[in-house]
Amino acid sequence: MNKTVFFGALTVAGIAAGAASAATLDDVTARGTLNCGVSTGLVGFAAPDANGVWEGFDVGVCRAVAAAALGDPEAVNFVPLTTQTRFTALASGEVDMLARNTTWTFSRDVDLKMEFTGINYYDGQGFMVPRDIGVTSAKDLDGATVCIQTGTTTELNLADFFRVNNISYEPVPIETNAEAQQQYLARACDVYTTDASGLAATRATFENPGDHVILPEIISKEPLGPLVRHGDNEWGDIVRWTLNAMIAAEELGVTSANVSELAAAATDNPEINRLLGTEGELGAMLGLEADWAVAVISAVGNYGELFEQTIGENTPIGLARGLNAQWTEGGLIYSPPFR
Amino acid sequence: MTTITDPPKEGFRLNQLIYDTRYRSMTIQVVAMILLVLSISWLVSNTVQNLQALGKDFDFGFLWQPAGYDINQRLVEYDSQSTHGRAALVGILNTILVAFLGCALATVLGVIAGVLRLSKNWIVNKLMAAYVEGFRNVPLLLWILLIFALMTEGTPQPRDFREGGSASMVLGDSVAITNRGVYVPAPVWGDGSLIVVIVFVLSVIGAFAYRGYAKKLLFDTGRLLPMVWPAIVIAFVPAILVFFIMGRPIGLENPELGGFNFSGGIHLRNSLIALWLALSLYTGAFIAEIVRAGILAVSKGQTEAAFALGLRPNRTMSLVILPQALRVIVPPLISQYLNLTKNSSLAIAVGYMDVRSTLGGITINQTGRELEGMLLVGLFYLLLSLAISGAMNVFNNRVKLRER
Ligand SMILES: N[C@@H](CCC(=O)N[C@@H](CS)C(=O)NCC(=O)O)C(=O)O
């Protein structure tokens, strides 16, 4: 009898565990909100505004997915995660997706069992120093004290860079961007290093941004993008094609201003029609409404709009499109076709 | 139902399992056992299931892979090409270092504060009360962060030590207090320093031997030899003589400002100092209470009896009160040491690279081996705690009451 109870319990446990990791879309729909992992605060990418409303480039991706899956860009529960906790939080199901300045690397994809669903920002690692220390190149940093966030690609690149160039440094490991900023401003470290976009965003919050320079060296490739966990390809597809929809919308000239007009009736551009659901069944194939992409674009705009609103040249962050221009403009941003 | 008039029949009924005290405890134990086994098996099977769903396996192979990250405070050789296992070792040593320093300083602070809290001097007494209550009642993490912030914000940066800068080194240009830590002189071991060290160790043994002899003489014949100064002479004079005879082989290297930072000397990082001080001050407050309780637990009659025998107050303290107080003090002291050791895992808050930050932090994050890493970290703390309480129990057995 004992044994039966035992095996019975095992089966129940098995079923419960199995159910917990089944279709993420069903979980999200049942819950009515999307749990989206973001950074603990990086202005322009993900940070709460004065009213506590999260905003930023990565936040926009979360809102876009919520708009696609639930039809409501506000139905997001933002979960701030440090660089160290993010993968565990995603793997354990605490969040449904991450949109958190996360670099797509081989080992994260293959060994950590993450599924990157695209790239929303092509970046690289840079160095920021106070102007008055008079350093003009990263190679002059021999013996410097360097602030780094732990659990990042940053610390691995940094170790490689200094070893290859045969110069020494003193790493100061730090948990969040806010702490790093405080240590750097107190001059407890000479240099702050992270993704160049993160440096620009951090510098924009300084009292005197002009007192700090970003050195010319970019020492790595940091393709940043949203990710989900391995094992639920349908959910991965939704996140992937939500981002692609924003990218394609920019290429096709669909904006938050004209999307409702373009979606009202079929236009003479078949790709726009398929994207906006006036032709074909793409939405149904994803398990979503036919107008899923319309919801995305009216909520957060197309890729270019989101970029300009959050981190573009007219914001305090002031990032140029550069590599992140559409492929038609000489950049790397490119969506596979909607067909 | 019928009323029972017959004496209860012998024989076993099922409800006896609950109502009969002979069987009840057995029943409870069996049920508890089944529940325990069930919940453990549920945990294990759930873990296995979830790992499978994620496509992950359970493998410690990562410990032999290159770590790829640098660690600032290393007690053993380590660079970014070393393995994750080696990084774990560096972290383990850092944990042991801060735990050891912390326990030592906490004991000193605790004993001083505990004794002074019994002082009849109102100011001293209240000052110690303020220390104890202040540190006991504020979370440790806040103290760590506060001390760390004071040290980074309140001390000069290395640049200020340059020619014409606003800061200067102290203690004859040998110590620099900066916002990156304190730089102190490092010993330089020249040729022949080994001989000096050996002579010193031998003379310390000699000093103890002298104390043993003096004690035996006192008990056997009642003759009291001076204890303190001959022991000090025996311990230090030969080593100092050899030091000069060998041509001063042990030197000191002062830290010197070069480039961005000081080089040379020993660098005590802010993270180490903040963690060490906060752990010691916090645990010291608890130890103070333990010491005070221990002393108060020795009955007043003991002091009076000692005085009646003509013992002076300091001898009364060291020969009568303290040996008895130790019996009360040591057991709770052990658990304070264990607390301090485990609390040292708050190191991550100030970026001190202990085992929780290396193996339990960066390694886990870079390799995705949460389960394996956390099990290892847990195992390490378990073993360290067992080792500490084992060693302290040996000490406890030595001071505990021996009935004659
Ligand atoms: N892209 C790198 C670095 C990520 C990273 O460190 N991001 C920083 C700044 S760009 C961040 O998100 N900081 C905000 C926070 O600490 O929450 C990675 O994926 O490992």
Side-chain angles (χ1 to χ4, degrees):
Chain A
M1 187 222 143
N2 239 344
K3 256 194 186 153
T4 347
V5 174
F6 183 68
F7 284 113
L10 270 190
T11 342
V12 173
I15 291 169
S21 60
T24 312
L25 178 59
D26 294 344
D27 292 349
V28 172
T29 327
R31 204 188 302 129
T33 55
L34 171 75
N35 290 336
C36 194
V38 292
S39 77
T40 58
L42 185 64
V43 175
F45 285 88
D49 70 3
N51 302 318
V53 180
W54 284 86
E55 54 180 30
F57 191 61
D58 282 338
V59 164
V61 176
C62 299
R63 293 205 189 283
V65 173
L70 300 166
D72 178 6
E74 302 302 318
V76 191
N77 173 25
F78 291 99
V79 182
L81 297 170
T82 67
T83 38
Q84 272 209 22
T85 52
R86 54 186 158 169
F87 299 120
T88 316
L90 180 59
S92 66
E94 196 183 318
V95 293
D96 305 310
M97 61 177 284
L98 274 184
R100 197 209 167 286
N101 316 75
T102 299
T103 306
W104 186 346
T105 69
F106 182 96
S107 61
R108 286 174 179 177
D109 192 334
V110 177
D111 195 32
L112 266 66
K113 312 290 181 198
M114 299 295 154
E115 185 175 338
F116 285 83
T117 56
I119 294 168
N120 67 340
Y121 194 95
Y122 288 89
D123 208 345
Q125 180 175 340
F127 296 93
M128 175 164 65
V129 293
R131 193 177 291 279
D132 61 14
I133 71 169
V135 168
T136 51
S137 156
K139 302 237 168 79
D140 300 340
L141 290 174
D142 192 10
T145 302
V146 184
C147 276
I148 37 162
Q149 271 185 261
T150 59
T152 57
T153 49
T154 317
E155 64 189 343
L156 304 180
N157 298 330
L158 188 71
D160 285 349
F161 176 78
F162 278 82
R163 185 167 49 86
V164 167
N165 287 294
N166 218 351
I167 48 182
S168 65
Y169 72 109
E170 155 97 10
V172 175
I174 282 168
E175 266 215 284
T176 67
N177 197 54
E179 279 168 51
Q181 187 170 326
Q182 182 242 324
Q183 290 284 304
Y184 171 76
L185 288 178
R187 297 277 183 112
C189 31
D190 303 299
V191 195
Y192 180 36
T193 179
T194 184
D195 302 340
S197 65
L199 290 180
T202 308
R203 185 171 67 164
T205 64
F206 288 176
E207 221 165 294
N208 299 309
D211 292 350
H212 302 268
V213 279
I214 294 177
L215 298 178
E217 283 91 347
I218 294 291
I219 65 166
S220 68
K221 292 192 289 186
E222 307 286 333
L224 311 179
L227 56 150
V228 298
R229 50 186 168 267
H230 257 198
D232 187 352
N233 296 359
E234 287 71 25
W235 177 245
D237 288 343
I238 292 175
V239 179
R240 173 176 303 107
W241 286 95
T242 302
L243 179 60
N244 283 338
M246 294 165 65
I247 294 172
E250 182 183 25
E251 187 188 338
L252 299 169
V254 181
T255 66
S256 55
N258 66 13
V259 64
S260 47
E261 187 189 326
L262 291 173
T267 65
D268 48 14
N269 183 332
E271 180 135 21
I272 293 184
N273 295 349
R274 286 190 294 267
L275 173 66
L276 300 183
T278 47
E279 196 182 307
E281 295 263 285
L282 297 192
M285 292 177 198
L286 280 175
L288 302 175
E289 307 289 326
D291 64 349
W292 64 283
V294 180
V296 168
I297 296 159
S298 28
V300 298
N302 64 34
Y303 179 85
E305 285 178 279
L306 181 61
F307 193 105
E308 290 312 328
Q309 275 161 26
T310 52
I311 53 177
E313 281 178 304
N314 297 324
T315 66
I317 321 266
L319 291 171
R321 285 293 290 268
L323 283 181
N324 298 294
Q326 287 283 338
W327 65 287
T328 46
E329 312 274 323
L332 294 174
I333 293 294
Y334 183 106
S335 163
F338 275 74
R339 66 161 64 255
Chain B
M1 294 294 256
T2 52
T3 42
I4 298 171
T5 44
D6 301 333
K9 282 197 193 90
E10 289 299 313
F12 184 75
R13 272 166 293 122
L14 213 51
N15 64 7
Q16 266 180 300
L17 281 180
I18 298 175
Y19 294 115
D20 189 325
T21 45
R22 278 174 300 170
Y23 303 115
R24 191 193 287 154
S25 67
M26 197 64 189
T27 321
I28 293 174
Q29 287 184 46
V30 168
V31 169
M33 186 67 198
I34 292 177
L35 287 180
L36 188 72
V37 168
L38 276 182
S39 45
I40 290 178
S41 63
W42 181 79
L43 275 179
V44 170
S45 90
N46 195 327
T47 311
V48 171
Q49 281 270 341
N50 278 325
L51 281 180
Q52 230 160 36
L54 289 171
K56 284 190 175 181
D57 55 357
F58 190 77
D59 179 11
F60 287 96
F62 69 97
L63 288 174
W64 285 268
Q65 301 296 319
Y69 60 91
D70 281 304
I71 300 179
N72 48 16
Q73 178 178 305
R74 308 170 290 260
L75 297 180
V76 289
E77 203 74 35
Y78 171 88
D79 64 34
S80 61
Q81 297 300 96
S82 309
T83 60
H84 280 294
R86 188 101 186 149
L89 177 69
V90 173
I92 284 176
L93 292 177
N94 285 345
T95 293
I96 293 178
L97 175 72
V98 78
F100 177 79
L101 291 176
C103 287
L105 185 58
T107 311
V108 172
L109 288 174
V111 170
I112 294 177
V115 171
L116 288 187
R117 214 183 156 180
L118 292 171
S119 155
K120 297 206 175 61
N121 182 322
W122 189 85
I123 297 186
V124 171
N125 183 326
K126 287 292 172 264
L127 224 54
M128 290 303 131
Y131 158 65
V132 169
E133 297 310 331
F135 275 90
R136 266 200 326 175
N137 295 309
V138 174
L140 174 57
L141 184 58
L142 293 189
W143 284 117
I144 298 179
L145 292 174
L146 183 71
I147 296 178
F148 187 65
L150 283 179
M151 287 186 0
T152 36
E153 305 282 349
T155 49
Q157 44 176 316
R159 274 158 52 88
D160 295 341
F161 286 82
R162 290 200 195 143
E163 213 69 50
S166 54
S168 54
M169 294 170 72
V170 291
L171 294 180
D173 270 358
S174 63
V175 174
I177 301 172
T178 75
N179 63 352
R180 294 166 192 184
V182 178
Y183 296 82
V184 298
V188 188
W189 307 99
D191 288 339
S193 44
L194 186 65
I195 301 182
V196 180
V197 173
I198 291 176
V199 169
F200 180 64
V201 171
L202 288 179
S203 8
V204 168
I205 296 175
F208 275 101
Y210 170 78
R211 272 186 59 115
Y213 165 73
K215 225 178 191 166
K216 192 165 150 23
L217 200 69
L218 176 67
F219 288 167
D220 291 351
T221 70
R223 241 185 77 210
L224 181 61
L225 287 182
M227 285 273 202
V228 179
W229 68 262
I232 294 179
V233 168
I234 296 176
F236 289 98
V237 171
I240 295 175
L241 282 181
V242 174
F243 174 73
F244 283 105
I245 293 170
M246 297 297 296
R248 294 200 264 180
I250 306 173
L252 282 181
E253 180 199 38
N254 281 348
E256 245 169 86
L257 188 62
F260 292 98
N261 280 308
F262 282 89
S263 57
I266 296 175
H267 181 192
L268 304 171
R269 288 173 182 77
N270 269 353
S271 52
L272 170 67
I273 298 179
L275 187 67
W276 175 32
L277 288 186
L279 283 172
S280 311
L281 286 166
Y282 180 80
T283 313
F286 288 90
I287 294 181
E289 287 298 272
I290 293 172
V291 169
R292 185 169 74 116
I295 293 176
L296 288 179
V298 179
S299 106
K300 213 170 151 55
Q302 297 282 326
T303 320
E304 286 162 359
F307 285 171
L309 287 175
L311 281 181
R312 276 165 283 149
N314 54 352
R315 283 196 171 265
T316 307
M317 193 56 157
S318 64
L319 293 177
V320 179
I321 310 289
L322 269 185
Q324 299 186 72
L326 271 184
R327 294 184 191 130
V328 184
I329 292 174
V330 170
L333 191 64
I334 303 179
S335 70
Q336 288 306 323
Y337 285 174
L338 298 183
N339 274 350
L340 188 145
T341 306
K342 286 174 292 175
N343 283 343
S344 74
S345 59
L346 288 171
I348 186 83
V350 287
Y352 181 75
M353 297 303 274
D354 71 337
V355 67
R356 160 71 184 77
S357 310
T358 58
L359 174 61
I362 301 179
T363 291
I364 281 186
N365 191 265
Q366 303 288 11
T367 61
R369 300 279 166 193
E370 295 93 356
L371 196 60
E372 294 92 332
M374 275 304 161
L375 283 178
L376 284 179
V377 172
L379 184 71
F380 162 71
Y381 279 111
L382 180 69
L383 291 180
L384 184 61
S385 297
L386 288 178
I388 292 175
S389 59
M392 289 300 290
N393 275 332
V394 171
F395 179 65
N396 192 27
N397 283 337
R398 286 191 38 194
V399 298
K400 88 170 178 213
L401 191 63
R402 269 182 290 263
E403 301 190 10
R404 281 187 266 249

